[in-house]
Amino acid sequence: MALLVVLTSSLLVACMGSSSTTLDDQGASVSSFDWGLPDGIPLPVEPDDNPMTEAKFQLGRYLFYDTRLSANGDIACASCHHQEKAFTDGRQFPTGTWGDTHPRNAMSLGNTAWFATFNWARPDVTTLEEQIRGPLFNSSPIPEHGLTSSNLDGVLASIRTDSTYQALLVAAFPEAATDTEWDFDDHLIPALASFVRGLTSFDSDFDHYLQGDSSALSAAAKRGLALFASERLECTHCHLDNFTLTDNHMNRSWTYPTSNFHNTGAVYRFDEPNRGVYEVTGNSSHLGQFRTMSLRNIALTAPYSHDGSHATLEDILDTYSQGGKQGDYQVDGDLSPGFTLTSDEKADVLAFLCSLTDLTFISNPRYGNPWPDADGNPIGVASNAEADPAVNPQCQLSNP
Ligand code: HEC
Ligand code: HEC
């Protein structure tokens, strides 16, 4: 129900023809960044110590696609976060610069500016700046980029002496223009966070529908939305509001952020290091609890779940329809105890989930690779021939 309530108020805002900043007039005057949001989407929080600027966003974009930021010179953020897959990588588990396998599935990066916590099950990671330090310097669960005190100076030297970066750094941090000791904490991480924060996705059919175009959703997707929000399926108990489709969210008009974690019985057994929030708290009531994932662009981000154990959206629906996998631990009370869908109804839910695909997001050159290839041409944006819901296998039933 919650989704439908928010949905109705959004439609009202849209009908009144008000601007995207009506929910949040204060935000409008304090952001120097063009968020380019449609009507009804509240501005996200910008950290006081890292307000958004276009110059930081652009610097972050070059860094995001640069493999020089890794121990072996072979891993960039973009190695595991591919734009054409809504910034996931299509694999069950990604590998880091030394070839180690990460125990969890790579996450999508759309609209993270509205999230209250980051990663699959880390209530303690509450800013993008903090999150991004992880893959750069982590040794656990794996070294992703593998930066350590022994290779850091070399990596920094390659950035500091590159004329492209010098220009970008001076533009992004003019107050430090005479200081060529650019570093991760004060410059590179804030820029990477600004780029990721600026990756917004609000141009799906579902968004057009929310903005008042009732023909933007097919009849099947509308029936799927009604099922999604129904007491039978109970999806909106957790995939809650209509701009993030999760209960892990915040914006400038809310006084406190919300981040909820749930055991949905996605797997039979939760083994180390995938025991969810328990890994952080050691509290047995947190066993198997993971963050509610946003469902935006979900048809582009297979495989699914924290351990990539669901190959298809249909597999996910099958697990939910049995009330979770009924394994070791009791599932969350907000979850439906189980439901039966006819194949037509299943197709309708898939049509709704596929209406969350934003083809503009995955083809937007602003988010693409800015570096030139060996011939000096911009690398730009990779295409994804299966992205369109009309041909995407995630959007079709296996046995219609
Ligand atoms: C080796 C693959 C890999 C690399 C390289 C990598 N990531 Fe990730 N990313 C992941 C995985 C896996 C997760 C989920 C981690 C977890 O929950 O344990 C993730 C999570 C994230 C999240 C959290 C998203 C959310 O919704 O909470 C952000 C933001 C992110 N990565 C940004 C980056 C940036 C920026 C870089 C480069 C500095 C980067 N990643 C490098 C694999 C990678
Ligand atoms: C009790 C809260 C809750 C309810 C109710 C719920 N979900 Fe989820 N959803 C989650 C959590 C938590 C995850 C991550 C679980 C994991 O990976 O272990 C998730 C993951 C997903 C994923 C995979 C996301 C990804 O990126 O891998 C899909 C798709 C999904 N849910 C759809 C639905 C649908 C459809 C319904 C209704 C039938 C539903 N959810 C009901 C909390 C919930």
Side-chain angles (χ1 to χ4, degrees):
M1 275 327 274
L3 180 117
L4 289 179
V5 171
V6 182
L7 190 154
T8 315
S9 63
S10 266
L11 287 176
L12 281 177
V13 172
C15 294
M16 284 153 52
S18 33
S19 81
S20 59
T21 54
T22 46
L23 295 176
D24 189 359
D25 289 326
Q26 188 207 1
S29 58
V30 297
S31 185
S32 60
F33 184 72
D34 180 3
W35 282 96
L37 302 175
D39 285 351
I41 303 297
L43 282 169
V45 176
E46 295 175 26
D48 290 342
D49 57 357
N50 191 22
M52 286 293 280
T53 65
E54 180 65 18
K56 276 191 277 185
F57 173 92
Q58 289 299 343
L59 168 60
R61 180 178 163 211
Y62 280 78
L63 293 163
F64 189 88
Y65 286 96
D66 193 341
T67 55
R68 283 176 293 179
L69 260 61
S70 62
N72 273 331
D74 59 348
I75 292 280
C77 309
S79 307
C80 302
H81 297 288
H82 307 184
Q83 183 182 5
E84 74 277 13
K85 293 187 167 67
F87 294 95
T88 57
D89 67 353
R91 292 180 284 181
Q92 181 172 20
F93 299 121
T95 46
T97 190
W98 301 113
D100 306 82
T101 301
H102 200 292
R104 286 174 289 278
N105 191 239
M107 298 175 104
S108 179
L109 301 182
N111 300 342
T112 59
W114 286 266
F115 291 171
T117 68
F118 300 93
N119 295 330
W120 283 97
R122 290 293 300 269
D124 55 330
V125 179
T126 56
T127 66
L128 277 170
E129 285 74 4
E130 203 182 341
Q131 196 291 320
I132 286 166
R133 174 158 262 291
L136 292 166
F137 294 101
N138 263 348
S139 57
S140 168
I142 64 159
E144 285 100 330
H145 292 242
L147 299 186
T148 62
S149 52
S150 55
N151 57 31
L152 187 62
D153 286 348
V155 169
L156 278 173
S158 70
I159 304 285
R160 289 170 181 161
T161 55
D162 180 302
S163 59
T164 303
Y165 276 127
Q166 287 169 354
L168 289 161
L169 279 154
V170 168
F173 299 100
E175 69 287 358
T178 54
D179 168 14
T180 50
E181 294 299 296
W182 292 299
D183 63 26
F184 275 93
D185 281 341
D186 295 328
H187 309 104
L188 307 188
I189 289 178
L192 276 164
S194 300
F195 174 65
V196 173
R197 193 168 275 125
L199 298 173
T200 61
S201 174
F202 293 107
D203 201 26
S204 66
D205 289 348
F206 180 61
D207 291 294
H208 299 157
Y209 176 75
L210 293 180
Q211 288 150 26
D213 176 3
S214 69
S215 67
L217 287 192
S218 66
K222 283 177 190 161
R223 289 192 301 267
L225 169 57
L227 282 165
F228 184 79
S230 70
E231 281 303 316
R232 177 148 69 107
L233 271 66
E234 305 195 16
C235 311
T236 48
H237 285 182
C238 305
H239 299 282
L240 200 62
D241 71 54
N242 63 11
F243 60 101
T244 61
L245 291 130
T246 152
D247 54 9
N248 164 56
H249 47 194
M250 63 175 178
N251 68 56
R252 292 188 194 187
S253 42
W254 295 345
T255 45
Y256 58 89
T258 314
S259 192
N260 292 317
F261 298 86
H262 310 271
N263 178 353
T264 60
V267 295
Y268 290 104
R269 285 182 54 82
F270 294 98
D271 290 322
E272 192 180 357
N274 283 342
R275 293 169 297 180
V277 177
Y278 177 85
E279 300 288 352
V280 181
T281 63
N283 178 335
S284 58
S285 68
H286 297 154
L287 275 165
Q289 291 190 341
F290 288 85
R291 197 188 80 191
T292 309
M293 295 304 287
S294 169
L295 300 181
R296 284 189 167 272
N297 295 302
I298 193 72
L300 304 174
T301 67
Y304 303 104
S305 300
H306 61 274
D307 61 350
S309 58
H310 291 85
T312 66
L313 285 175
E314 205 183 339
D315 291 346
I316 288 266
L317 280 182
D318 289 344
T319 296
Y320 277 122
S321 65
Q322 65 190 85
K325 290 210 185 265
Q326 313 287 343
D328 281 2
Y329 310 110
Q330 205 177 357
V331 297
D332 197 284
D334 279 337
L335 196 72
S336 162
F339 49 83
T340 309
L341 291 177
T342 65
S343 54
D344 282 352
E345 286 175 326
K346 230 184 197 182
D348 290 346
V349 177
L350 288 185
F352 164 65
L353 293 174
C354 289
S355 79
L356 300 166
T357 296
D358 176 353
L359 296 172
T360 310
F361 179 60
I362 61 166
S363 58
N364 189 343
R366 255 176 86 68
Y367 303 157
N369 191 333
W371 292 100
D373 64 15
D375 300 325
N377 300 313
I379 295 173
V381 183
S383 64
N384 177 347
E386 290 191 338
D388 188 331
V391 294
N392 186 334
Q394 291 300 334
C395 304
Q396 332 297 331
L397 275 187
S398 54
N399 290 308

